[in-house]
């Protein structure tokens, strides 16, 4: 594309460009050879520079360079050679990592000629025996710096290198003066030869973006094997050598991670303080705001039109919804009123029936018949529909006592017949379920189980909970002691039947529990309730006590009261009954006797099992 001509100038095409031609080029030359050597030897560009400098200095063999002898060379500890500055030992602290191999060898030659033990011994100087002489430090220095791998390891932990990262406060005031030397200093660790510079305040967005992309993906050749605390060459066996290598790898990885975190912190700090980034962000924000504003205006006009149409539709929907809600509300109110009216009518008719029967003394001549008729009247109040109640009340209001009694007895008979039918249907359903259960192989080892045995099994399972020693043998012995069927049960029979009971329908379980409670009530009700001459209330309550099963909470209260009030306490059972709400003195005494019997039975069963085990 041709550039646009400036004012007063013209654009002229002198000659058409020739068509591009594809040419096969063979890579040659010293730069290609240097690249191949670095790739084959897995070396960085910095080491390549060192080799190139060494090669270029071959023609300058007579070049003189200044040596700076270490002022404390004679005081160095040979055993602490790892912490010494090898460049300073050889007199090259001013060149450091830039020193060539020829310069290192020349410096070593000069130092050796001056400090060799033979030279110093000939001069009459006292020489330390073995490796205790400081000359060992010179030997270690040339050993490290003459080996490219070991030299790279030492250069990675150069003690003179500044690892500090400028703070945000320093960078915001003088960004380029502060961060430019820091990035130049850390560029020596780059595996890539070309490292972009920080730039100037006028750098373009592409240049700044390229700089931060390079540093955010910085590839460092710096490694920390020189700081290994253990030397695997000192290991006495293969396992110890492997352990040392594992420890060293972990230590190197940790230091490498810290180094990359340092570089990342440096780049993040520079990015946050860079005024160019702030300027680019403001420009980008302004551009996006202008585009957003233009889009918003166009969208606003479009939405205004859509909103008008939508509002019209919503208004129609709203009116229709309000109308529907109003109709539903009125229907609900009407249904509620009808329900309240029906409820009041039910209450009125039931009260009327109770009052009428009460005025006729429940059509009975003695207290027992009166109580029985009272229960039948309550049954009518619960079972009859509103129309039936109204019809019955009209008959009672207009008829005589005999007619009223006949009408009530007729209704009672019909209700009882209906209840009987419901019970028969439930019994048939339970019988069918029981037959299916027995057909599925749940007969408990082929031995028949009657209702009494099932109730006794449930009682024994609750009496001997999980965790009881030889639980199922104890339950089997308990059943054999108390069963009236004469059938001897084994632990296997009991286990099979208990599993089958767990699979039963909840209605069948409730039926078994209900029959057990009725049997218990029948056995423990030996004295008929006394008849008092006083007129009973509408909600007649018998005087034989509360026959409902004891709940867990009532059981806890009873046990606590038995502990609180010992046998020597006067009026003990009155106080115990006062602590158990809803239970009388008679109920508490009866429950206590039952618990004593259960404990005795449990002890007897356990003793019998222990006796068998001893045999």
């Amino acid at each position: 594309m041709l550039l646009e001509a400036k004012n007063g100038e013209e654009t002229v095409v002198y000659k058409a460009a020739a068509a591009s031609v594809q040419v096969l080029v063979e890579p040659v030359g010293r730069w290609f050879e240097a690249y191949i050597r670095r790739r084959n030897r897995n070396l960085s560009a910095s080491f390549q520079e060192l080799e190139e400098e060494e090669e270029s200095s071959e023609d300058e063999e007579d070049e003189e360079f200044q040596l700076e002898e270490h002022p404390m060379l004679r005081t160095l500890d040979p055993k602490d050679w790892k912490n010494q500055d090898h460049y300073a030992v050889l007199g090259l602290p001013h060149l450091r990592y830039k020193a060539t191999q020829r310069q290192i060898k020349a410096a070593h030659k000069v130092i050796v000629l001056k400090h060799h033990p033979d030279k110093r011994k000939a001069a009459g100087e006292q020489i330390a025996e073995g490796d205790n002489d400081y000359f060992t430090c010179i030997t270690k220095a040339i050993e490290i710096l003459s080996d490219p791998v070991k030299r790279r390891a030492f250069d990675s932990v150069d003690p003179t290198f500044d690892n500090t990262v400028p703070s945000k406060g320093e960078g915001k005031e003088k960004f380029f003066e502060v961060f430019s030397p820091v990035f130049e200093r850390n560029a020596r660790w780059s595996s890539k030869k070309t490292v972009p510079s920080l730039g100037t305040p006028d750098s373009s967005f592409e240049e700044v973006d390229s700089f931060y992309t390079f540093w955010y993906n910085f590839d460092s050749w710096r490694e920390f094997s020189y700081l290994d605390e253990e030397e695997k060459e000192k290991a006495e066996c293969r396992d110890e050598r492997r352990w040392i290598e594992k420890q060293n790898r972990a230590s190197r990885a940790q230091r490498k991670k810290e180094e990359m975190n340092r570089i990342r912190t440096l780049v993040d700090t520079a990015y946050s303080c860079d005024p160019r980034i702030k300027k680019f962000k403001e420009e980008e924000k302004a551009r996006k705001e202008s585009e957003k504003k233009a889009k918003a205006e166009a969208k606003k006009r479009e939405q205004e039109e859509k909103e008008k149409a939508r509002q019209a539709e919503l208004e129609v929907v709203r009116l229709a919804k309000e109308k529907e809600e109003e109709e539903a509300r009125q229907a609900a109110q009407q249904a509620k009123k009808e329900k309240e009216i029906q409820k009041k009518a039910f209450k009125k008719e039931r009260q009327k029936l109770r009052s009428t029967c009460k005025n006729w003394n429940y059509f009975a001549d003695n207290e027992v018949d009166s109580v029985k008729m009272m229960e039948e009247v309550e049954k009518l109040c619960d079972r009859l529909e509103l129309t039936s109640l109204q019809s019955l009340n009209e008959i009672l209001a207009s008829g005589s006592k005999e007619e009223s009694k006949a009408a009530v007895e007729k209704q009672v008979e019909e209700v009882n017949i209906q209840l009987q039918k419901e019970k028969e249907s439930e019994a048939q359903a339970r019988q069918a379920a029981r037959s299916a259960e027995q057909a599925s192989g749940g007969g408990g080892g082929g031995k028949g189980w009657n209702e009494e045995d099932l109730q006794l099994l449930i009682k024994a399972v609750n009496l001997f909970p999980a965790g009881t020693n030889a639980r199922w043998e104890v339950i089997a012995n308990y059943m054999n002691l108390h069963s009236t069927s004469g059938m001897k049960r084994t632990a296997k029979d009991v286990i099979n039947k208990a599993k089958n009971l767990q699979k039963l329908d909840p209605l069948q379980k409730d039926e078994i529990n209900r029959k057990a409670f009725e049997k218990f009530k029948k056995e423990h009700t030996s004295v008929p309730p006394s008849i008092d001459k006083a007129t009973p209330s509408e909600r007649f309550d018998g005087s034989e006590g509360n026959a409902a099963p004891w709940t867990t909470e009532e059981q806890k209260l009873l046990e606590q009261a038995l502990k609180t009030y010992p046998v020597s306490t006067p009026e003990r059972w009155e106080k115990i009954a006062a602590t158990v709400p809803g239970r009388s003195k008679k109920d508490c005494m009866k429950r206590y006797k039952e618990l004593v019997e259960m404990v005795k039975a449990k002890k007897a069963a356990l003793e019998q099992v222990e006796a068998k085990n001893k045999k």
Side-chain angles (χ1 to χ4, degrees), residues 140-409:
K140 288 292 183 181
I142 190 62
E143 179 185 340
I144 296 297
L145 298 182
S146 61
D147 188 337
V149 177
K150 293 182 179 180
R151 183 182 180 184
R152 181 177 67 170
F154 176 73
D155 288 342
S156 296
V157 295
D158 191 343
T160 63
F161 182 76
D162 186 6
N163 287 303
T164 59
V165 176
S167 63
K168 291 184 179 180
E170 298 172 348
K172 287 183 179 179
E173 295 177 358
K174 297 179 180 181
F175 176 77
F176 294 97
E177 291 80 352
V178 171
F179 282 97
S180 182
V182 177
F183 279 105
E184 290 176 1
R185 184 167 65 244
N186 283 275
R188 64 180 284 190
W189 310 123
S190 175
S191 299
K192 299 179 181 178
K193 186 175 182 179
T194 304
V195 180
S197 62
L198 182 61
T200 63
D202 299 328
S203 298
S204 64
F205 174 80
E206 288 74 15
E207 293 174 344
V208 175
D209 182 67
S210 174
F211 172 80
Y212 283 108
T213 300
F214 174 84
W215 281 97
Y216 271 119
N217 299 288
F218 187 70
D219 183 14
S220 174
W221 58 264
R222 193 177 189 184
E223 50 96 6
F224 300 91
S225 60
Y226 189 81
L227 299 178
D228 290 346
E229 296 181 0
E230 303 287 346
E231 297 182 13
K232 66 178 183 179
E233 291 79 6
K234 296 181 180 180
E236 297 181 357
C237 62
R238 181 177 59 183
D239 293 336
E240 185 179 357
R241 184 163 56 253
R242 289 179 178 176
W243 181 84
I244 292 174
E245 290 177 354
K246 182 179 179 180
Q247 296 295 322
N248 291 340
R249 282 197 300 271
S251 177
R252 294 173 193 173
Q254 179 63 26
R255 291 190 177 97
K256 184 69 174 181
K257 183 179 179 180
E258 293 174 358
E259 169 65 9
M260 297 313 297
N261 288 338
R262 184 186 70 85
I263 296 294
R264 185 58 182 256
T265 303
L266 170 63
V267 180
D268 288 340
T269 305
Y271 189 86
S272 62
C273 298
D274 197 335
R276 300 169 299 179
I277 297 297
K278 185 178 180 180
K279 182 183 70 173
F280 294 149
K281 287 184 177 180
E282 290 176 352
E283 292 175 354
E284 181 68 14
K285 183 178 179 180
R287 183 184 64 80
K288 288 184 178 180
E289 286 293 335
S290 60
E291 293 179 356
K292 184 178 179 180
K293 187 176 180 181
K295 290 181 180 179
E297 290 177 354
K299 189 175 181 180
K300 183 179 179 181
R301 290 192 296 269
E302 182 181 356
Q303 287 182 347
E304 286 177 353
E305 297 176 356
K306 291 182 178 179
E307 185 65 20
K308 290 180 181 179
R310 191 178 67 85
Q311 288 295 338
E313 295 178 358
L314 289 177
E315 185 65 19
V316 174
V317 173
R318 185 183 65 81
L319 294 176
K321 186 176 180 181
E322 287 180 355
K323 183 178 179 181
E324 183 179 352
E325 290 177 353
E326 181 63 23
E327 293 176 354
R329 186 178 61 81
Q330 291 179 358
Q333 289 181 350
Q334 183 65 26
K336 185 177 180 180
K337 288 179 181 179
E338 292 177 356
K339 188 176 181 180
E340 289 293 334
I341 292 172
Q342 188 177 14
K343 186 177 179 181
K344 290 179 180 180
F346 260 114
K347 186 176 180 181
K348 180 179 178 182
E349 295 299 330
R350 289 169 179 168
Q351 187 65 30
K352 188 175 179 181
L353 177 60
R354 294 189 185 105
S355 300
T356 305
C357 293
K358 184 178 180 181
N359 292 336
W360 290 109
N361 196 20
Y362 293 97
F363 311 103
D365 298 332
N366 53 63
E367 190 65 28
V368 176
D369 294 340
S370 177
V371 172
K372 184 176 180 182
M373 182 55 72
M374 184 189 300
E375 294 177 355
E376 299 295 341
V377 170
E378 289 299 324
K379 192 184 299 182
L380 292 178
C381 292
D382 293 337
R383 301 286 299 184
L384 290 181
E385 299 291 338
L386 180 59
T387 54
S388 301
L389 283 172
Q390 290 174 347
S391 302
L392 182 58
N393 284 330
E394 290 177 0
I395 295 173
L396 295 178
S398 60
S400 61
K401 181 178 180 179
E402 298 299 330
E403 293 175 350
S404 300
K405 182 179 180 180
V408 171
E409 290 178 348

Side-chain angles (χ1 to χ4, degrees), residues 534-569:
T535 304
S537 61
E538 242 179 83
R539 299 292 186 183
F540 180 76
D541 189 8
S543 60
E544 67 273 9
N546 189 354
W550 282 69
T551 62
T552 306
E553 186 65 26
E554 290 175 343
Q555 182 68 28
K556 290 181 180 179
L557 292 174
L558 176 61
E559 293 174 0
Q560 185 62 35
L562 289 171
K563 296 177 183 178
T564 305
Y565 303 108
V567 180
S568 60
T569 304

Side-chain angles (χ1 to χ4, degrees), residues 3 12 37 55 77 79 112 125-126 181 196 199 202 226 237 305 346 364 418 455 458 461 463 545 572 610 614:
L3 298 176
V12 179
R37 284 198 301 272
E55 293 174 359
D77 185 5
K79 296 179 180 179
V112 167
E125 185 178 341
Q126 188 69 23
D202 299 328
Y226 189 81
C237 62
E305 297 176 356
F346 260 114
Q418 185 179 359
Q455 295 164 11
I458 293 172
V461 169
L463 186 61
R572 181 193 186 199
E610 290 176 358
K614 289 180 180 179

